[in-house]
Amino acid sequence: MSTDRPVTIADILARSIGYLEGKGVENPRLDAELILAHALKLGRIELYTHHDRPLTEEELAAARPLVERRGKREPLAYVLGEWGFRHLVLRVDANVLVPRPETEIVVERALALIKDVEQPSVLDIGTGSGAIALSIASEHPGARVVATDISEGALGVAADNAERCGVADRVEFVRGHLTAHVNGTFDLVISNPPYVPPADWDSLQPEIRLYEPREAVVGTAQTAAVARRALPLLLPGGWLVLEVGDGQAQEVADELGSLGYADVRITNDLAGRERVVEGRWA
Ligand code: SAM
Ligand code: GLN
């Protein structure tokens, strides 16, 4: 039976959760809360403390399309248009990989390696949203960072993020294949290159397969190419830090060893997976 009772926050939350659940979304409640809080300009807690507040037509019209986009399995980060990475909130859209929690560990490791360098020069290869480059610039106030990407769309997002994060004066963007058009020498070369084997693409979750840029995710020889190209750009004692895919760490560590890198080491991510490989140019 229909009633004339207006739609409340509790109603739309319950409906959105059920809708997202039916679409196979992994965390339907969390995602519904974040989308509705964003659309209604409320804190997540206020969805509950104001649960019986009726919604206006405008509010419903703002919320519905966002919930529907998530139902089509568009990544939550694209639906919200922004995503947290370490201390930063980055603008993200379909031009860039959604920054991942494991990459926060890669940055953590790199910052530890350069903490005693007063003004480190840093190169981030394949910067995407700028997550790595901008975090290093913002967390190491002496750092100067060069960030490259092959994708013009990604560099546009990253440059915008540099402005928003207040570090644009210390970050320079270069468009090109890997290190092409990069000048200078570096205390740290860091990269999260595309490393997912092409054969794995079809089995990735729809959020990745249907929405994220394929060239940001899939790559075969990119990791080794980054390791080789970093060599002539590293200052003596400089570090290479790489994010690697599941099961790739030992092979990449061996590769660094045979290229002549010293102090090669593997660090796990928070899920206990071997995720970061580093080496020093001695
Ligand atoms: N650094 C970001 C992060 O960690 O969230 C994005 C990493 S994403 C896995 C890889 C990035 O490398 C994408 O932005 C992609 O456009 C870029 N890329 C792919 N092939 C490249 C190439 N040959 N030269 C430079 N960048 C490339
Ligand atoms: N970690 C990403 C994923 O799970 C891939 C990122 C990359 O290829 N560097 O798909």
Side-chain angles (χ1 to χ4, degrees), residues 97 100 102 192-196 204 208 216-218 243 275:
L97 186 92
R100 308 285 206 263
E102 54 267 30
N192 172 17
Y195 54 60
V196 173
L204 296 178
I208 302 175
V217 176
V218 172
E243 177 173 325
R275 182 65 69 188

Side-chain angles (χ1 to χ4, degrees), residues 75-103:
L76 179 63
Y78 294 164
V79 174
L80 300 177
E82 59 182 34
W83 201 242
F85 182 84
R86 292 183 66 86
H87 304 293
L88 305 176
V89 177
L90 301 169
R91 182 168 81 73
V92 292
D93 64 24
N95 286 296
V96 299
L97 186 92
V98 176
R100 308 285 206 263
E102 54 267 30
T103 307

